[in-house]
Amino acid sequence: MKPIKCLVTAGPTREYFDPVRYISNPSSGKMGWNIANAAKQKGWDVTLILGPSQLPDIDGATTVRVVSAADMLSACEKYFPHTDILIMSAAVSDVRPKVYSGQKIKKDKIDFNPQLEPTPDILKTLSLKKKSQILVGFAAETHDVMHYAEEKMKSKNLDAIVANTVGSEGSGFAADENKIDLILRSGEIVDFHKASKSRLAASLIDFISAKFFGGRRPQDRQ
Ligand code: PMT
């Protein structure tokens, strides 16, 4: 019997202007790393696509380290066809510089109004290739989180989305604890109380396992 195949993304992406300057965000990778670890503990076959982060590889899982949104998309596209569920917790940069300089730009040559362009939307791209895969996204917002999360779930054609309020101390980016709600396509909302990212990750994986895979243990899977 084959284990459930789970693809998790975590961490930020970096979009470089030159070899020493980039656009990014404060994601540490902890939320997604803990989700991948919890899925591994459940006996799932886990691949973690991890943006720049200090976190170690997960024993028994495949860890693929990437830098930019384009790298993350390529890595996801490689594993997505063979996965049962994608959990997209990475904080992918929405923009990148239009022009990259292979050499460090001298201070007096810096363009203070650089041209930016959107990065590829990884979830949206993968949702167009979706067959039987379950897609779970995240929505990080400072306000109206439930409203924006529902909009993102619909526009990216997701099965569920984790609504994550960010911007307050002790929760969200880089913190050890978090506060999340899971919104399902059916409209069901699960309120996970504020807790450590490792506890939340375990609860989230337990819930997802019961909801989408009938709580099957890997050895029960056909
Ligand atoms: O890493 P930590 O320090 O532990 O912090 C955890 C976290 C706050 C980063 C995490 O819990 C979280 O909320 N992750 C999602 C952050 C985010 O980028 O959300 P968003 O609302 O901008 O994006 C919506 C969804 O689209 C996300 O699933 C994102 O991965 C995805 N996306 C975004 C941009 C893009 N170009 N491609 C994408 O696939």
Side-chain angles (χ1 to χ4, degrees):
M1 301 288 175
K2 289 183 189 158
I4 290 162
K5 284 184 184 270
C6 179
L7 182 60
V8 182
T9 67
T13 66
R14 284 183 189 166
E15 313 300 329
Y16 277 87
F17 287 94
D18 70 16
V20 299
R21 301 185 182 94
Y22 56 81
I23 298 174
S24 191
N25 61 65
S27 169
S28 61
K30 286 182 207 170
M31 190 70 241
W33 189 96
N34 277 290
I35 290 170
N37 197 39
K40 182 66 220 155
Q41 300 304 319
K42 197 126 194 115
W44 293 5
D45 179 349
V46 176
T47 300
L48 171 64
I49 313 288
L50 183 59
S53 164
Q54 303 295 325
L55 294 170
D57 291 3
I58 293 176
D59 268 354
T62 302
T63 304
V64 180
R65 293 183 185 266
V66 297
V67 176
S68 67
D71 298 341
M72 189 171 275
L73 174 60
S74 306
C76 286
E77 281 180 320
K78 178 174 169 199
Y79 291 94
F80 186 70
H82 318 289
T83 203
D84 295 313
I85 177 164
L86 165 68
I87 305 178
M88 189 80 202
S89 152
V92 184
S93 175
D94 288 316
V95 293
R96 65 186 174 197
K98 221 170 184 173
V99 178
Y100 172 75
S101 161
Q103 292 187 321
K104 182 181 171 188
I105 304 164
K106 299 309 294 171
K107 204 168 171 181
D108 59 345
K109 296 279 186 308
I110 289 175
D111 178 359
F112 289 101
N113 294 297
Q115 293 243 331
L116 302 177
E117 63 182 12
T119 54
D121 189 320
I122 299 171
L123 265 182
K124 212 163 187 173
T125 307
L126 295 176
S127 78
L128 298 173
K129 299 178 178 183
K130 173 179 154 116
K131 293 205 162 71
S132 58
Q133 296 93 338
I134 305 291
L135 294 192
V136 180
F138 266 69
E141 298 289 348
T142 55
H143 58 285
D144 295 333
V145 63
M146 300 303 271
H147 169 69
Y148 289 126
E150 275 185 61
E151 274 189 351
K152 283 178 189 176
M153 176 169 63
K154 287 179 189 147
S155 72
K156 297 185 190 229
N157 192 24
L158 309 177
D159 297 283
I161 193 158
V162 176
N164 197 163
T165 303
V166 295
S168 60
E169 220 174 283
S171 171
F173 285 96
D176 289 328
E177 294 192 319
N178 209 1
K179 168 71 193 84
I180 57 173
D181 293 274
L182 181 70
I183 308 174
L184 297 161
R185 199 67 195 221
S186 62
E188 186 183 348
I189 295 175
V190 189
D191 176 347
F192 292 91
H193 298 292
K194 189 175 176 187
S196 69
K197 286 179 175 171
S198 70
R199 276 191 66 175
L200 282 176
S203 304
L204 188 65
I205 289 295
D206 280 348
F207 184 88
I208 286 173
S209 171
K211 194 72 181 180
F212 294 110
F213 301 104
R216 288 192 310 253
R217 295 164 303 161
Q219 59 266 38
D220 300 333
R221 190 164 172 253
Q222 299 302 315

